[in-house]
Amino acid sequence: GGASTAGDAGVPAVRSPGEGAVAATQGSGEVESIENILIRSHRQELVERVGPKVERYLPSEDPNAFLLPDSRLEPQERWWQKVFVTVPWLVFACMLAAPLLLVRANLPWLQRRAAEDRRAAEARNAAAAVAERVPEFAVVCFTQMPDVLERPFPTLLFLFDPTTFASKLFLPALRDLEQVIRAA
């Protein structure tokens, strides 16, 4: 062809413009796009310049390929490539299956526990409904605190000191607040 060599290495320095296009049209009956011709010719130049080992590091000829072709990999690399493709899918399957298996295995126990909780809630509601009405506002001392805190209903507890002005001001306000809450 029309290639000249650079130095004594025998590597073509310049390629004639028609060489790549002629080879592309002679090989097959269909017309190749310019991009494909340029990619193929660039690949061939690299192989000629560096050697056949460069194929290993070039992009895949199939842009849609997920794995590297087996021809580029050594046997051990092929095995690891398959491992690294398979392991994430196995982990995903385990992550998907684990909650389903846990629910399926524990469903009878969960249903029994829900029924027990339901019965306990009904018993608490029945006890609260039967309980006498909520006691009125009262000033209690510290010895009565355990009785107040153990009531089966929410209780508001305010601490005050009868010698302070704020306590003398807020104590009547709390009595009025109790009447408003009771009316609501």
Side-chain angles (χ1 to χ4, degrees), residues 7-8 15 22 24 52 59 89 118 180 183:
D8 56 328
R15 179 173 233 164
V22 171
W89 285 102
R118 203 175 307 112
V180 169

Side-chain angles (χ1 to χ4, degrees), residues 131-135 148-155:
E132 295 180 330
R133 64 189 190 94
V134 177
V148 171
L149 294 175
E150 292 176 6
R151 291 180 180 168
F153 43 84
T155 304

Side-chain angles (χ1 to χ4, degrees), residues 16 30 48 79 91-92 101 108 137 140 144-145 150 156 176:
S16 68
E30 58 190 56
E48 288 173 5
W79 187 83
V91 169
F92 175 73
L101 290 173
F137 177 82
V140 295
Q144 296 170 318
M145 291 289 258
E150 292 176 6
L156 292 175
D176 294 339

Side-chain angles (χ1 to χ4, degrees), residues 48-177:
E48 288 173 5
R49 197 175 322 144
V50 180
K53 280 292 197 182
V54 78
E55 280 282 336
R56 175 182 170 93
Y57 303 104
L58 290 175
S60 179
E61 290 178 9
D62 181 10
N64 299 322
F66 182 64
L67 300 175
L68 289 175
D70 284 344
S71 61
R72 290 190 184 183
L73 301 173
E74 295 174 10
Q76 191 175 19
E77 291 173 328
R78 284 185 214 130
W79 187 83
W80 281 109
Q81 176 175 263
K82 289 175 178 79
V83 166
F84 286 126
V85 168
T86 307
V87 167
W89 285 102
L90 291 175
V91 169
F92 175 73
C94 289
M95 289 172 53
L96 188 63
L100 297 174
L101 290 173
L102 287 173
V103 168
R104 182 161 169 76
N106 293 318
L107 192 59
W109 177 77
L110 290 171
Q111 288 173 335
R112 279 194 310 272
R113 185 171 171 193
E116 290 171 5
D117 287 347
R118 203 175 307 112
R119 278 187 244 117
E122 288 171 0
R124 278 193 308 270
N125 290 340
V130 173
E132 295 180 330
R133 64 189 190 94
V134 177
E136 294 182 7
F137 177 82
V139 176
V140 295
C141 64
F142 279 107
T143 57
Q144 296 170 318
M145 291 289 258
D147 296 333
V148 171
L149 294 175
E150 292 176 6
R151 291 180 180 168
F153 43 84
T155 304
L156 292 175
L157 185 64
F158 296 97
L159 299 176
F160 73 97
D161 181 10
T163 60
T164 62
F165 175 72
S167 295
K168 291 179 182 178
L169 178 71
F170 289 119
L171 192 56
L174 291 174
R175 291 183 197 274
D176 294 339
L177 178 64

